[in-house]
Every structure is written in C-alpha cells, then in structure tokens.
Amino acid sequence: MNDKKPLMDYRRVQKLQTPLLLTGALLSGVGTSVSVPLVILGIAIMLFAIVIGVLYYRCPHCGRPLGRIGEGGAYCPHCGKALNAPVEEPVRSITVPAYAKLNLTLDILGKRDDGYHEMQMIMQTVSLHDDVTVTLTDGKGITCRVDGAALPCDERNLAVKAARAFCEAMDYGGGIDIALIKRIPSEAGMAGGSADAAAVLRALRAISTVPVILLTAKREPLDAAALEVLGGKLGADVPFCIRGGTQLAEGRGEKLTVLKPAPRFFVAVCKPDFPISTPALFARVDGVTITDRPDTDAMLAAIEHGDADTLCANVRNVFEQALDGEQRERIETIKCDLLAYGAKTSAMTGSGSVVFGLFSDKAACRRACEALQGECVKTFCAEFV
Ligand code: C5P
C-alpha cells in the first residue's frame, strides 16, 4: 500500500544506485580472475541496486514508479506533483452528514408493469441527520458499526450494500469500514436508510482519489451522474439523497428535477411509536380510491415564486388515505396537535409514520416539539437545508 511511508526515499535510491552498480560490476570483474565468491558478491550487489530501484524509486506522492522519466526531473510524470514538495498525509477517513427528507407533496399516479408505482413528489432535505464515517482499511471486505439504533450491520443494511456496489463499480477490492451514528428514525418515511447509503456513496467518491483506491481500483472514479445511477439501483430515494435540496421526484422516485430552494421553514418532526412498512402501505394504496390529491403544479409555482403561504396550502400526502383506521386516527391527532401549536401546515411524510409541522418561527417549533414529546411520540426540531 503506497500511502504508507516507503522504507527508502526516492532521492536516497537515486544516490545509492550508481555507486552500488559500479561496486558490484567492479567486484565481479576483479572476482573473475581472483575468486568465485567475489563474483557472486558483485552480482548480488548489482541485483540489490536493481531491486531497490524497482521498489523504492517511486513518486513520494502517488507511489507510482518514476522509471527513466523521473531521473533528474522535478515533477512526477504520473500525478504531476513536484517531487520535492512536502508529502501530504492521504485522507483515509471521511465523515459526512446523511440528511433526512420530507415530502412536501406525495402523489401516486398508478401501478407500473415492474410492480413499482409511478410517483410524483416534491421532496425537501431537512437538517435532521445521521453521521456516516467511511474509512479505508488495510484489510479486505466491508465492516459496519451502528450507534443509536438496533440495525443490522450486514448486507441487510443499505449503507453496506452501497459500499459493495461502489466497490464493484470501481473494481476495488480493498477494505472499507462504515460507522453510522443514527438519529433519523427508521420506518418513518424520512429516507433514513437511503440517506446513509447516499452518504456512503458520496464519501467513497470524495475519497476515491486517494492513492490506495486510485492504484488498486481497476476503473476510473465515478462522476456525479454515475453515482446517482448507482444509487437508483439501491433504492428509489437514494438519488434524491445524493443530491439533496428541493427536488421534484418522478418515476419510481429516481427521476429528479432541481427546483429553486423552497422558502425556509422550521420543522417539528414527530415520530409515533409505530412503524409503517413501505411495501405494505403501497399494497394497501392499490385497494383504495384516492380522492384528495396534491396539486403538484400549484406547489411547483409556489416554490418558484417563494410563496410560503401557497406552499403550506398545498402540502399533501395521498398515503394518509391508505392508512388503517387506528394508524390514521393517531396520525390525524398529531397533525391537529401540531396545528394547535402554531404549525402553518402538517402532514405525514413518505409512507410514514413521521408527521411533520412547518413553522416560520423557531421558538414556536421548539414549543411544539417539547409539548408533543412523550411516551408515544418522539420529536425532533429541524429546519430546511
Ligand atoms: O426502492 P425502495 O427499496 O425504497 O422501495 C421499497 C418498496 O416500496 C419496494 O420494494 C416497492 O414495494 C415499494 N415501492 C413502490 N413504488 C415505488 C417505490 C417503492 O411500489 N415508486
């Protein structure tokens, strides 16, 4: 691994090689008429000079062989860095935030032939986030640790799947460690798993110019578009989580259109103590007649014009109409409580069970979070990012 300090500096190799070769040649030349062991010693010294040249006559920055091109030259012919420039410690570890999302609108247009549903959603990144640390390790394989939630650390975790997919796409066989600090609630409709997967992909892309990956991987680093395509194969929300901001998501959720940043709001995020399974709720939607759909065009216009009131008037999620009786009642109660505490609007996000309220005033948002926090509901104060 060339990101470790080499045993011998390339300048020392340069200085040593010529005298060693000359000494070796002299000894073996003299040895032919004096003694055989002297010849062997001479040859051994010459071989040693060649071996240290191959192993250590390398660029101190990228670790690639300098060959003849580097001789007397000031710059590496591969990475272009000045050979005598101070060597920076390569970044082997990076921590990135994995932001949660909210659905300002969620409409289901129909069921597709591939079993998925055709969606039309306006999504917004919020400040509630997990922390994802990706570290390149000396070993092989992917390891994962999770703090803050009882989640699997194997291939069932989307973050591990993302790292695996990245390694396959770059044909990289080195070791990767993932450490997740979870804050985004699970089965909540906030794309917690997708956010972690997206963060792993972004972190690995950022770190993929490190020599250990550049030299070991058999393919070029992925560009932003390739990263989103890769993310789309992991889950419908992953491309959105890679981009973030305010976006219109269509198709399965992976076809994104960048929107102007929505007017800023503070968000009271309320997670009731029951999870909702996304596939199960999609299955229920198929048997329900949806009556109250979001006016996506009106929401798009509100965002375009920065019209906060019209935005609030158009927040809607058709999934709420597919909830079973008890869940629906609990969600409605939280929505009403949020409105009573001053929210400008409230709705369920994604396939739930998180309900959010939008506030223009931070203190009012905090008061609502404090008031609704309890045994059956966990609350988080956040804002649009
Ligand atoms: O893509 P993701 O893994 O997030 O989707 C989880 C499940 O939600 C899918 O297996 C599918 O049952 C359902 N789904 C759907 N239509 C979509 C997105 C998800 O039916 N557009």
PDB file of all heavy atoms in Angstrom, residues 182-220:
ATOM      1  N   LYS A 182     -26.808   6.971  14.226  1.00  0.00           N
ATOM      2  CA  LYS A 182     -28.193   7.130  13.751  1.00  0.00           C
ATOM      3  C   LYS A 182     -28.969   8.131  14.607  1.00  0.00           C
ATOM      4  O   LYS A 182     -28.941   8.073  15.826  1.00  0.00           O
ATOM      5  CB  LYS A 182     -28.939   5.785  13.804  1.00  0.00           C
ATOM      6  CG  LYS A 182     -28.488   4.721  12.832  1.00  0.00           C
ATOM      7  CD  LYS A 182     -28.797   5.031  11.392  1.00  0.00           C
ATOM      8  CE  LYS A 182     -30.223   5.310  11.058  1.00  0.00           C
ATOM      9  NZ  LYS A 182     -30.385   5.717   9.624  1.00  0.00           N
ATOM     10  N   ARG A 183     -29.639   9.029  13.922  1.00  0.00           N
ATOM     11  CA  ARG A 183     -30.597   9.932  14.581  1.00  0.00           C
ATOM     12  C   ARG A 183     -31.931   9.899  13.840  1.00  0.00           C
ATOM     13  O   ARG A 183     -32.982  10.094  14.418  1.00  0.00           O
ATOM     14  CB  ARG A 183     -30.065  11.376  14.595  1.00  0.00           C
ATOM     15  CG  ARG A 183     -28.841  11.549  15.437  1.00  0.00           C
ATOM     16  CD  ARG A 183     -28.449  13.001  15.583  1.00  0.00           C
ATOM     17  NE  ARG A 183     -27.043  13.083  15.958  1.00  0.00           N
ATOM     18  CZ  ARG A 183     -26.043  13.145  15.104  1.00  0.00           C
ATOM     19  NH1 ARG A 183     -26.273  13.177  13.806  1.00  0.00           N
ATOM     20  NH2 ARG A 183     -24.801  13.188  15.536  1.00  0.00           N
ATOM     21  N   ILE A 184     -31.873   9.681  12.518  1.00  0.00           N
ATOM     22  CA  ILE A 184     -33.112   9.663  11.723  1.00  0.00           C
ATOM     23  C   ILE A 184     -33.893   8.410  12.121  1.00  0.00           C
ATOM     24  O   ILE A 184     -33.346   7.302  12.087  1.00  0.00           O
ATOM     25  CB  ILE A 184     -32.805   9.609  10.206  1.00  0.00           C
ATOM     26  CG1 ILE A 184     -31.839  10.725   9.796  1.00  0.00           C
ATOM     27  CG2 ILE A 184     -34.082   9.649   9.389  1.00  0.00           C
ATOM     28  CD1 ILE A 184     -31.341  10.632   8.357  1.00  0.00           C
ATOM     29  N   PRO A 185     -35.172   8.572  12.506  1.00  0.00           N
ATOM     30  CA  PRO A 185     -35.927   7.371  12.892  1.00  0.00           C
ATOM     31  C   PRO A 185     -36.131   6.415  11.712  1.00  0.00           C
ATOM     32  O   PRO A 185     -36.166   6.847  10.562  1.00  0.00           O
ATOM     33  CB  PRO A 185     -37.254   7.943  13.398  1.00  0.00           C
ATOM     34  CG  PRO A 185     -37.310   9.355  12.956  1.00  0.00           C
ATOM     35  CD  PRO A 185     -35.924   9.813  12.667  1.00  0.00           C
ATOM     36  N   SER A 186     -36.212   5.117  12.030  1.00  0.00           N
ATOM     37  CA  SER A 186     -36.396   4.104  10.980  1.00  0.00           C
ATOM     38  C   SER A 186     -37.881   3.888  10.692  1.00  0.00           C
ATOM     39  O   SER A 186     -38.726   4.152  11.562  1.00  0.00           O
ATOM     40  CB  SER A 186     -35.808   2.768  11.427  1.00  0.00           C
ATOM     41  OG  SER A 186     -34.435   2.930  11.622  1.00  0.00           O
ATOM     42  N   GLU A 187     -38.175   3.376   9.536  1.00  0.00           N
ATOM     43  CA  GLU A 187     -39.556   3.131   9.070  1.00  0.00           C
ATOM     44  C   GLU A 187     -40.422   4.342   9.389  1.00  0.00           C
ATOM     45  O   GLU A 187     -41.474   4.251  10.016  1.00  0.00           O
ATOM     46  CB  GLU A 187     -40.115   1.856   9.696  1.00  0.00           C
ATOM     47  CG  GLU A 187     -39.342   0.629   9.243  1.00  0.00           C
ATOM     48  CD  GLU A 187     -40.031  -0.678   9.573  1.00  0.00           C
ATOM     49  OE1 GLU A 187     -40.145  -0.978  10.754  1.00  0.00           O
ATOM     50  OE2 GLU A 187     -40.470  -1.368   8.640  1.00  0.00           O
ATOM     51  N   ALA A 188     -39.914   5.496   8.957  1.00  0.00           N
ATOM     52  CA  ALA A 188     -40.526   6.761   9.335  1.00  0.00           C
ATOM     53  C   ALA A 188     -40.952   7.587   8.133  1.00  0.00           C
ATOM     54  O   ALA A 188     -41.627   8.596   8.274  1.00  0.00           O
ATOM     55  CB  ALA A 188     -39.537   7.561  10.180  1.00  0.00           C
ATOM     56  N   GLY A 189     -40.492   7.214   6.932  1.00  0.00           N
ATOM     57  CA  GLY A 189     -40.813   7.995   5.731  1.00  0.00           C
ATOM     58  C   GLY A 189     -39.844   9.138   5.524  1.00  0.00           C
ATOM     59  O   GLY A 189     -40.101  10.061   4.748  1.00  0.00           O
ATOM     60  N   MET A 190     -38.681   9.075   6.224  1.00  0.00           N
ATOM     61  CA  MET A 190     -37.696  10.152   6.096  1.00  0.00           C
ATOM     62  C   MET A 190     -36.453   9.692   5.338  1.00  0.00           C
ATOM     63  O   MET A 190     -35.424  10.386   5.334  1.00  0.00           O
ATOM     64  CB  MET A 190     -37.300  10.669   7.471  1.00  0.00           C
ATOM     65  CG  MET A 190     -38.480  11.220   8.256  1.00  0.00           C
ATOM     66  SD  MET A 190     -37.944  12.203   9.656  1.00  0.00           S
ATOM     67  CE  MET A 190     -37.654  13.785   8.892  1.00  0.00           C
ATOM     68  N   ALA A 191     -36.517   8.536   4.717  1.00  0.00           N
ATOM     69  CA  ALA A 191     -35.422   8.002   3.894  1.00  0.00           C
ATOM     70  C   ALA A 191     -34.129   7.822   4.680  1.00  0.00           C
ATOM     71  O   ALA A 191     -33.036   8.061   4.164  1.00  0.00           O
ATOM     72  CB  ALA A 191     -35.187   8.894   2.671  1.00  0.00           C
ATOM     73  N   GLY A 192     -34.251   7.395   5.945  1.00  0.00           N
ATOM     74  CA  GLY A 192     -33.063   7.219   6.796  1.00  0.00           C
ATOM     75  C   GLY A 192     -32.037   6.264   6.183  1.00  0.00           C
ATOM     76  O   GLY A 192     -30.852   6.581   6.120  1.00  0.00           O
ATOM     77  N   GLY A 193     -32.498   5.102   5.721  1.00  0.00           N
ATOM     78  CA  GLY A 193     -31.590   4.110   5.120  1.00  0.00           C
ATOM     79  C   GLY A 193     -31.003   4.637   3.815  1.00  0.00           C
ATOM     80  O   GLY A 193     -29.801   4.489   3.557  1.00  0.00           O
ATOM     81  N   SER A 194     -31.848   5.272   3.010  1.00  0.00           N
ATOM     82  CA  SER A 194     -31.378   5.812   1.723  1.00  0.00           C
ATOM     83  C   SER A 194     -30.373   6.931   1.953  1.00  0.00           C
ATOM     84  O   SER A 194     -29.397   7.066   1.205  1.00  0.00           O
ATOM     85  CB  SER A 194     -32.551   6.366   0.912  1.00  0.00           C
ATOM     86  OG  SER A 194     -33.490   5.348   0.663  1.00  0.00           O
ATOM     87  N   ALA A 195     -30.604   7.744   2.992  1.00  0.00           N
ATOM     88  CA  ALA A 195     -29.674   8.844   3.295  1.00  0.00           C
ATOM     89  C   ALA A 195     -28.304   8.285   3.659  1.00  0.00           C
ATOM     90  O   ALA A 195     -27.279   8.806   3.207  1.00  0.00           O
ATOM     91  CB  ALA A 195     -30.225   9.688   4.440  1.00  0.00           C
ATOM     92  N   ASP A 196     -28.283   7.213   4.454  1.00  0.00           N
ATOM     93  CA  ASP A 196     -26.994   6.604   4.824  1.00  0.00           C
ATOM     94  C   ASP A 196     -26.294   6.037   3.589  1.00  0.00           C
ATOM     95  O   ASP A 196     -25.082   6.212   3.422  1.00  0.00           O
ATOM     96  CB  ASP A 196     -27.201   5.472   5.848  1.00  0.00           C
ATOM     97  CG  ASP A 196     -27.736   5.982   7.178  1.00  0.00           C
ATOM     98  OD1 ASP A 196     -27.685   7.204   7.398  1.00  0.00           O
ATOM     99  OD2 ASP A 196     -28.213   5.160   7.974  1.00  0.00           O
ATOM    100  N   ALA A 197     -27.069   5.353   2.726  1.00  0.00           N
ATOM    101  CA  ALA A 197     -26.483   4.780   1.509  1.00  0.00           C
ATOM    102  C   ALA A 197     -25.906   5.895   0.635  1.00  0.00           C
ATOM    103  O   ALA A 197     -24.788   5.786   0.116  1.00  0.00           O
ATOM    104  CB  ALA A 197     -27.539   3.992   0.738  1.00  0.00           C
ATOM    105  N   ALA A 198     -26.672   6.981   0.497  1.00  0.00           N
ATOM    106  CA  ALA A 198     -26.207   8.110  -0.327  1.00  0.00           C
ATOM    107  C   ALA A 198     -24.944   8.711   0.276  1.00  0.00           C
ATOM    108  O   ALA A 198     -24.000   9.053  -0.449  1.00  0.00           O
ATOM    109  CB  ALA A 198     -27.300   9.171  -0.408  1.00  0.00           C
ATOM    110  N   ALA A 199     -24.902   8.823   1.608  1.00  0.00           N
ATOM    111  CA  ALA A 199     -23.724   9.403   2.268  1.00  0.00           C
ATOM    112  C   ALA A 199     -22.502   8.511   2.055  1.00  0.00           C
ATOM    113  O   ALA A 199     -21.398   9.008   1.825  1.00  0.00           O
ATOM    114  CB  ALA A 199     -24.002   9.590   3.758  1.00  0.00           C
ATOM    115  N   VAL A 200     -22.703   7.193   2.112  1.00  0.00           N
ATOM    116  CA  VAL A 200     -21.582   6.264   1.867  1.00  0.00           C
ATOM    117  C   VAL A 200     -21.060   6.470   0.439  1.00  0.00           C
ATOM    118  O   VAL A 200     -19.847   6.567   0.215  1.00  0.00           O
ATOM    119  CB  VAL A 200     -22.019   4.793   2.091  1.00  0.00           C
ATOM    120  CG1 VAL A 200     -21.017   3.823   1.490  1.00  0.00           C
ATOM    121  CG2 VAL A 200     -22.189   4.512   3.575  1.00  0.00           C
ATOM    122  N   LEU A 201     -21.971   6.581  -0.521  1.00  0.00           N
ATOM    123  CA  LEU A 201     -21.542   6.768  -1.919  1.00  0.00           C
ATOM    124  C   LEU A 201     -20.798   8.094  -2.074  1.00  0.00           C
ATOM    125  O   LEU A 201     -19.757   8.154  -2.735  1.00  0.00           O
ATOM    126  CB  LEU A 201     -22.751   6.729  -2.866  1.00  0.00           C
ATOM    127  CG  LEU A 201     -23.456   5.380  -3.001  1.00  0.00           C
ATOM    128  CD1 LEU A 201     -24.648   5.491  -3.951  1.00  0.00           C
ATOM    129  CD2 LEU A 201     -22.495   4.309  -3.514  1.00  0.00           C
ATOM    130  N   ARG A 202     -21.335   9.163  -1.472  1.00  0.00           N
ATOM    131  CA  ARG A 202     -20.682  10.475  -1.604  1.00  0.00           C
ATOM    132  C   ARG A 202     -19.305  10.445  -0.937  1.00  0.00           C
ATOM    133  O   ARG A 202     -18.333  10.964  -1.471  1.00  0.00           O
ATOM    134  CB  ARG A 202     -21.542  11.571  -0.962  1.00  0.00           C
ATOM    135  CG  ARG A 202     -22.700  12.012  -1.846  1.00  0.00           C
ATOM    136  CD  ARG A 202     -23.351  13.273  -1.317  1.00  0.00           C
ATOM    137  NE  ARG A 202     -24.079  13.025  -0.076  1.00  0.00           N
ATOM    138  CZ  ARG A 202     -23.794  13.571   1.091  1.00  0.00           C
ATOM    139  NH1 ARG A 202     -22.805  14.417   1.203  1.00  0.00           N
ATOM    140  NH2 ARG A 202     -24.497  13.273   2.165  1.00  0.00           N
ATOM    141  N   ALA A 203     -19.240   9.814   0.232  1.00  0.00           N
ATOM    142  CA  ALA A 203     -17.962   9.759   0.960  1.00  0.00           C
ATOM    143  C   ALA A 203     -16.943   8.951   0.156  1.00  0.00           C
ATOM    144  O   ALA A 203     -15.794   9.367   0.010  1.00  0.00           O
ATOM    145  CB  ALA A 203     -18.174   9.136   2.334  1.00  0.00           C
ATOM    146  N   LEU A 204     -17.373   7.815  -0.374  1.00  0.00           N
ATOM    147  CA  LEU A 204     -16.432   6.978  -1.131  1.00  0.00           C
ATOM    148  C   LEU A 204     -15.980   7.687  -2.405  1.00  0.00           C
ATOM    149  O   LEU A 204     -14.829   7.578  -2.804  1.00  0.00           O
ATOM    150  CB  LEU A 204     -17.064   5.621  -1.470  1.00  0.00           C
ATOM    151  CG  LEU A 204     -17.060   4.630  -0.305  1.00  0.00           C
ATOM    152  CD1 LEU A 204     -17.864   3.387  -0.654  1.00  0.00           C
ATOM    153  CD2 LEU A 204     -15.630   4.237   0.066  1.00  0.00           C
ATOM    154  N   ARG A 205     -16.894   8.437  -3.005  1.00  0.00           N
ATOM    155  CA  ARG A 205     -16.495   9.178  -4.215  1.00  0.00           C
ATOM    156  C   ARG A 205     -15.475  10.252  -3.849  1.00  0.00           C
ATOM    157  O   ARG A 205     -14.470  10.441  -4.538  1.00  0.00           O
ATOM    158  CB  ARG A 205     -17.726   9.806  -4.870  1.00  0.00           C
ATOM    159  CG  ARG A 205     -17.338  10.617  -6.071  1.00  0.00           C
ATOM    160  CD  ARG A 205     -18.516  10.925  -6.963  1.00  0.00           C
ATOM    161  NE  ARG A 205     -18.049  11.708  -8.068  1.00  0.00           N
ATOM    162  CZ  ARG A 205     -18.293  13.012  -8.222  1.00  0.00           C
ATOM    163  NH1 ARG A 205     -19.018  13.653  -7.349  1.00  0.00           N
ATOM    164  NH2 ARG A 205     -17.810  13.647  -9.250  1.00  0.00           N
ATOM    165  N   ALA A 206     -15.727  10.950  -2.723  1.00  0.00           N
ATOM    166  CA  ALA A 206     -14.804  12.012  -2.307  1.00  0.00           C
ATOM    167  C   ALA A 206     -13.424  11.453  -1.989  1.00  0.00           C
ATOM    168  O   ALA A 206     -12.413  12.094  -2.245  1.00  0.00           O
ATOM    169  CB  ALA A 206     -15.371  12.729  -1.088  1.00  0.00           C
ATOM    170  N   ILE A 207     -13.402  10.246  -1.474  1.00  0.00           N
ATOM    171  CA  ILE A 207     -12.139   9.665  -1.008  1.00  0.00           C
ATOM    172  C   ILE A 207     -11.458   8.867  -2.131  1.00  0.00           C
ATOM    173  O   ILE A 207     -10.318   8.436  -1.982  1.00  0.00           O
ATOM    174  CB  ILE A 207     -12.443   8.777   0.238  1.00  0.00           C
ATOM    175  CG1 ILE A 207     -11.348   8.861   1.265  1.00  0.00           C
ATOM    176  CG2 ILE A 207     -12.715   7.355  -0.117  1.00  0.00           C
ATOM    177  CD1 ILE A 207     -11.707   8.191   2.571  1.00  0.00           C
ATOM    178  N   SER A 208     -12.153   8.713  -3.253  1.00  0.00           N
ATOM    179  CA  SER A 208     -11.649   7.765  -4.262  1.00  0.00           C
ATOM    180  C   SER A 208     -10.484   8.303  -5.072  1.00  0.00           C
ATOM    181  O   SER A 208      -9.984   7.621  -5.953  1.00  0.00           O
ATOM    182  CB  SER A 208     -12.770   7.291  -5.188  1.00  0.00           C
ATOM    183  OG  SER A 208     -13.254   8.384  -5.913  1.00  0.00           O
ATOM    184  N   THR A 209     -10.018   9.522  -4.763  1.00  0.00           N
ATOM    185  CA  THR A 209      -8.802   9.999  -5.426  1.00  0.00           C
ATOM    186  C   THR A 209      -7.565   9.699  -4.580  1.00  0.00           C
ATOM    187  O   THR A 209      -6.454  10.033  -4.959  1.00  0.00           O
ATOM    188  CB  THR A 209      -8.886  11.516  -5.659  1.00  0.00           C
ATOM    189  OG1 THR A 209      -9.294  12.115  -4.448  1.00  0.00           O
ATOM    190  CG2 THR A 209      -9.854  11.879  -6.759  1.00  0.00           C
ATOM    191  N   VAL A 210      -7.795   9.057  -3.430  1.00  0.00           N
ATOM    192  CA  VAL A 210      -6.668   8.673  -2.576  1.00  0.00           C
ATOM    193  C   VAL A 210      -5.875   7.575  -3.280  1.00  0.00           C
ATOM    194  O   VAL A 210      -6.466   6.685  -3.888  1.00  0.00           O
ATOM    195  CB  VAL A 210      -7.235   8.157  -1.212  1.00  0.00           C
ATOM    196  CG1 VAL A 210      -6.169   7.484  -0.396  1.00  0.00           C
ATOM    197  CG2 VAL A 210      -7.847   9.308  -0.456  1.00  0.00           C
ATOM    198  N   PRO A 211      -4.526   7.643  -3.225  1.00  0.00           N
ATOM    199  CA  PRO A 211      -3.723   6.660  -3.962  1.00  0.00           C
ATOM    200  C   PRO A 211      -4.138   5.212  -3.732  1.00  0.00           C
ATOM    201  O   PRO A 211      -4.177   4.432  -4.670  1.00  0.00           O
ATOM    202  CB  PRO A 211      -2.316   6.904  -3.436  1.00  0.00           C
ATOM    203  CG  PRO A 211      -2.313   8.318  -3.002  1.00  0.00           C
ATOM    204  CD  PRO A 211      -3.704   8.650  -2.554  1.00  0.00           C
ATOM    205  N   VAL A 212      -4.502   4.881  -2.485  1.00  0.00           N
ATOM    206  CA  VAL A 212      -4.806   3.471  -2.209  1.00  0.00           C
ATOM    207  C   VAL A 212      -5.958   2.970  -3.088  1.00  0.00           C
ATOM    208  O   VAL A 212      -5.972   1.834  -3.547  1.00  0.00           O
ATOM    209  CB  VAL A 212      -5.095   3.223  -0.708  1.00  0.00           C
ATOM    210  CG1 VAL A 212      -6.296   3.961  -0.220  1.00  0.00           C
ATOM    211  CG2 VAL A 212      -5.259   1.750  -0.425  1.00  0.00           C
ATOM    212  N   ILE A 213      -6.938   3.840  -3.379  1.00  0.00           N
ATOM    213  CA  ILE A 213      -8.039   3.441  -4.257  1.00  0.00           C
ATOM    214  C   ILE A 213      -7.613   3.613  -5.716  1.00  0.00           C
ATOM    215  O   ILE A 213      -7.781   2.716  -6.532  1.00  0.00           O
ATOM    216  CB  ILE A 213      -9.311   4.273  -3.976  1.00  0.00           C
ATOM    217  CG1 ILE A 213      -9.915   3.836  -2.645  1.00  0.00           C
ATOM    218  CG2 ILE A 213     -10.331   4.089  -5.082  1.00  0.00           C
ATOM    219  CD1 ILE A 213     -11.354   4.207  -2.448  1.00  0.00           C
ATOM    220  N   LEU A 214      -7.022   4.767  -6.027  1.00  0.00           N
ATOM    221  CA  LEU A 214      -6.666   5.049  -7.425  1.00  0.00           C
ATOM    222  C   LEU A 214      -5.805   3.944  -8.024  1.00  0.00           C
ATOM    223  O   LEU A 214      -5.963   3.553  -9.178  1.00  0.00           O
ATOM    224  CB  LEU A 214      -5.880   6.354  -7.495  1.00  0.00           C
ATOM    225  CG  LEU A 214      -6.627   7.614  -7.857  1.00  0.00           C
ATOM    226  CD1 LEU A 214      -5.664   8.737  -8.077  1.00  0.00           C
ATOM    227  CD2 LEU A 214      -7.479   7.401  -9.123  1.00  0.00           C
ATOM    228  N   LEU A 215      -4.867   3.456  -7.199  1.00  0.00           N
ATOM    229  CA  LEU A 215      -3.916   2.479  -7.733  1.00  0.00           C
ATOM    230  C   LEU A 215      -4.445   1.064  -7.688  1.00  0.00           C
ATOM    231  O   LEU A 215      -4.043   0.223  -8.472  1.00  0.00           O
ATOM    232  CB  LEU A 215      -2.602   2.555  -6.942  1.00  0.00           C
ATOM    233  CG  LEU A 215      -1.863   3.885  -7.095  1.00  0.00           C
ATOM    234  CD1 LEU A 215      -0.653   3.919  -6.216  1.00  0.00           C
ATOM    235  CD2 LEU A 215      -1.475   4.088  -8.546  1.00  0.00           C
ATOM    236  N   THR A 216      -5.357   0.794  -6.746  1.00  0.00           N
ATOM    237  CA  THR A 216      -5.862  -0.576  -6.614  1.00  0.00           C
ATOM    238  C   THR A 216      -7.083  -0.797  -7.490  1.00  0.00           C
ATOM    239  O   THR A 216      -7.268  -1.867  -8.047  1.00  0.00           O
ATOM    240  CB  THR A 216      -6.234  -0.871  -5.128  1.00  0.00           C
ATOM    241  OG1 THR A 216      -5.373  -0.133  -4.299  1.00  0.00           O
ATOM    242  CG2 THR A 216      -6.142  -2.336  -4.822  1.00  0.00           C
ATOM    243  N   ALA A 217      -7.951   0.237  -7.587  1.00  0.00           N
ATOM    244  CA  ALA A 217      -9.170   0.084  -8.382  1.00  0.00           C
ATOM    245  C   ALA A 217      -8.807  -0.065  -9.856  1.00  0.00           C
ATOM    246  O   ALA A 217      -7.830   0.511 -10.317  1.00  0.00           O
ATOM    247  CB  ALA A 217     -10.059   1.295  -8.185  1.00  0.00           C
ATOM    248  N   LYS A 218      -9.623  -0.844 -10.552  1.00  0.00           N
ATOM    249  CA  LYS A 218      -9.303  -1.068 -11.962  1.00  0.00           C
ATOM    250  C   LYS A 218     -10.078  -0.110 -12.862  1.00  0.00           C
ATOM    251  O   LYS A 218      -9.914  -0.107 -14.065  1.00  0.00           O
ATOM    252  CB  LYS A 218      -9.595  -2.524 -12.326  1.00  0.00           C
ATOM    253  CG  LYS A 218      -8.759  -3.494 -11.493  1.00  0.00           C
ATOM    254  CD  LYS A 218      -8.731  -4.890 -12.065  1.00  0.00           C
ATOM    255  CE  LYS A 218      -7.895  -5.822 -11.210  1.00  0.00           C
ATOM    256  NZ  LYS A 218      -8.537  -6.218  -9.939  1.00  0.00           N
ATOM    257  N   ARG A 219     -10.998   0.697 -12.262  1.00  0.00           N
ATOM    258  CA  ARG A 219     -11.747   1.654 -13.091  1.00  0.00           C
ATOM    259  C   ARG A 219     -11.578   3.065 -12.550  1.00  0.00           C
ATOM    260  O   ARG A 219     -11.183   3.272 -11.415  1.00  0.00           O
ATOM    261  CB  ARG A 219     -13.224   1.294 -13.101  1.00  0.00           C
ATOM    262  CG  ARG A 219     -13.419  -0.144 -13.539  1.00  0.00           C
ATOM    263  CD  ARG A 219     -14.681  -0.370 -14.315  1.00  0.00           C
ATOM    264  NE  ARG A 219     -14.803  -1.790 -14.570  1.00  0.00           N
ATOM    265  CZ  ARG A 219     -15.596  -2.595 -13.896  1.00  0.00           C
ATOM    266  NH1 ARG A 219     -16.406  -2.120 -12.982  1.00  0.00           N
ATOM    267  NH2 ARG A 219     -15.624  -3.883 -14.165  1.00  0.00           N
ATOM    268  N   GLU A 220     -11.959   4.030 -13.384  1.00  0.00           N
ATOM    269  CA  GLU A 220     -11.845   5.453 -13.028  1.00  0.00           C
ATOM    270  C   GLU A 220     -12.863   5.813 -11.937  1.00  0.00           C
ATOM    271  O   GLU A 220     -13.921   5.181 -11.857  1.00  0.00           O
ATOM    272  CB  GLU A 220     -12.161   6.305 -14.265  1.00  0.00           C
ATOM    273  CG  GLU A 220     -11.095   6.239 -15.334  1.00  0.00           C
ATOM    274  CD  GLU A 220      -9.768   6.783 -14.843  1.00  0.00           C
ATOM    275  OE1 GLU A 220      -9.735   7.929 -14.373  1.00  0.00           O
ATOM    276  OE2 GLU A 220      -8.766   6.027 -14.905  1.00  0.00           O
TER     277      GLU A 220
END
